[in-house]
Amino acid sequence: MQLAALMTVCWIAWSLYELNWSSTTTETRALSAGARYLEDGQLQDALSSFEAAMSTSPNHSGALLGKAQSLMQLGTEAIHANRKPVPGREDALAHYRIIAMHSQPWTEP
């Protein structure tokens, strides 16, 4: 009887593993970590995570958006603290423009 219970527990654990963790990629984990860091206000860690996700998919819209949000918030903090803006903040606007171009149909200028 104990063997059957152990086998059932193992089967349930394996099923949960297959559903959740085995299908995640390095990119997915980096995006999730970046989102958590961004929510927690750990902006440098968020920026690093989004850049890690972009290393495998440079045009990933979620990673671009996360990087842009991180850079904008870092720049805002620097301005409020009367410090020199964080290098790379200028890239944030470029990332938002890229995202906007991908999310809207192309029109003639």
Side-chain angles (χ1 to χ4, degrees):
M1 186 65 169
Q2 291 178 355
L3 181 60
L6 178 63
M7 294 291 285
T8 302
V9 169
C10 289
W11 177 76
I12 291 171
W14 180 256
S15 297
L16 291 173
Y17 172 79
E18 284 294 308
L19 286 173
N20 294 321
W21 295 293
S22 66
S23 63
T24 60
T25 62
T26 304
E27 177 184 303
T28 307
R29 287 190 295 272
L31 286 171
S32 296
R36 285 191 308 273
Y37 285 135
L38 197 57
E39 288 175 7
D40 292 342
Q42 298 174 346
L43 302 175
Q44 279 301 138
D45 293 331
L47 182 60
S48 298
S49 293
F50 290 125
E51 287 176 341
M54 289 175 62
S55 68
T56 56
S57 296
N59 293 324
H60 190 282
S61 60
L64 287 169
L65 179 61
K67 181 177 179 180
Q69 288 174 334
S70 300
L71 287 170
M72 299 232 2
Q73 288 184 24
L74 282 167
T76 302
E77 283 184 357
I79 289 169
H80 288 299
N82 293 323
R83 297 186 310 220
K84 185 177 178 182
V86 176
R89 183 174 185 273
E90 303 81 29
D91 294 339
L93 183 57
H95 288 300
Y96 273 124
R97 286 187 180 141
I98 291 169
I99 292 166
M101 287 186 338
H102 288 292
S103 64
Q104 298 174 0
W106 187 79
T107 58
E108 290 284 335

